[in-house]
Amino acid sequence: RRQKKTASHAVMELENTKDCSQAGKPLFCPSHPTEELRLFCEQCDQPVCRDCVVDRHRQHSYDFTGNVIHRHGDALRELLKSTQQHMGTLEDVLGQIDDMGSAVRSRAEAVATEICLFASGYVKAIEEHRDRMLKQLEDLKVQKENLLHLQKAQLQQLLLDMRTGVEFTERLLTSGSDLEILITKGVVASRLAKLNSIAYNTHPSVDDGIQFSPQERAGQCCGYEVFGAILNKVVDPARCTLHGEDLHSARQNQLTGFTLLCNDATGERMRRGGEAVRVTITHKDKRDCAVKTTVCDNGDGTYHISYSPEEPGLYAVCVYVKGQHVQGSPFTLMVKNKFREHQGIFHCCTFCSSGGQKAARCACGGTMPGGYQGCGHGHKGHPGCPHWSCCGQVKENSECLGGPPSDTSQRSLLRTV
């Protein structure tokens, strides 16, 4: 207390400060160390002393700390309450996260078990499907071998009979007397004629047409969809046929086409696609004129070929399967000129459609008395039914047969505008 700088400080014994709280200790202003902070500046939102109010906070509103502590304390309590609510929410969310982590681990373990069961079942189904296909392949091989053995035995027997007959006949002709030859001629000739009349196949009765298609759907096995099938049928280009209403005729700049039906060597239809089909359409008079074709594989043994010729004339069409001509290929195609649309109107008569104009004419050639140059009901030249005014055709959906009208006829014929 004798020092000037610490004369105003509060001093107490050390023994009294051991358990003493610092809450009641007065706080002094940093700018004015001798003045205690007892006031609160509302504008600056900070505690001040009396010297601060006189100096820097002269124009500011202020009040004693005891008067404003309740208001500011309530605001802090509201913020504290809101913060405590957020803390509770965060604690709940953290608990949910822990629970979800446990659920994710449990679910992953369950799904892993399902995957293992599915994979083991799928492997079992594939193995069973494999064994079934191998059994089918073995049966098919045995069947083909049996047919070949049967054909071989029959041909060997026929060859033996022929060899015996030939040797007997040769020995008869070389060693037999004239009388012996004449006596046995009938029997020997009958035997040789019978041997010559026996029909036999000059090719093996079966082929090696055994293929495996891994993309072929094979139905279900043990509840799983499996793929892969043995294909015994092989396409025969000579047995493939062409179908279509406009197979030999087409229109200029009009999309048309035909269908290719693929069959095997026995004539039975192929039930799958994937064959190498190639189609060429070339002009017979213009070597550099070819028509672009589009081949659509329907996947059932049929192929649709579409094209749109740009120039009229006679074309040669070639259809190949595996590089060989199909049945009916090559064939000729006549491309006609572009379909001519009607330029007139489809009416009953010029009298009705023109509103009674005398100068209106019609391509049907009908005339009416009284100076009418066109047709009417029941008069000479009237077709007796609705017809086109440009060419006289009685079919509404038809091609116009009339030529390009001249200047005079274009003015006289009744036309749509």
Side-chain angles (χ1 to χ4, degrees), residues 351-365:
F351 183 82
C352 295
S353 57
S354 66
Q357 296 181 9
K358 291 186 176 182
R361 294 183 179 180
C362 183
C364 70

Side-chain angles (χ1 to χ4, degrees), residues 329-346:
S329 173
F331 62 91
T332 57
L333 170 68
M334 174 57 70
V335 178
K336 301 179 182 178
N337 289 322
K338 188 177 179 181
F339 188 86
R340 300 183 60 182
E341 302 287 345
H342 289 282
Q343 301 298 319
I345 61 172
F346 195 68

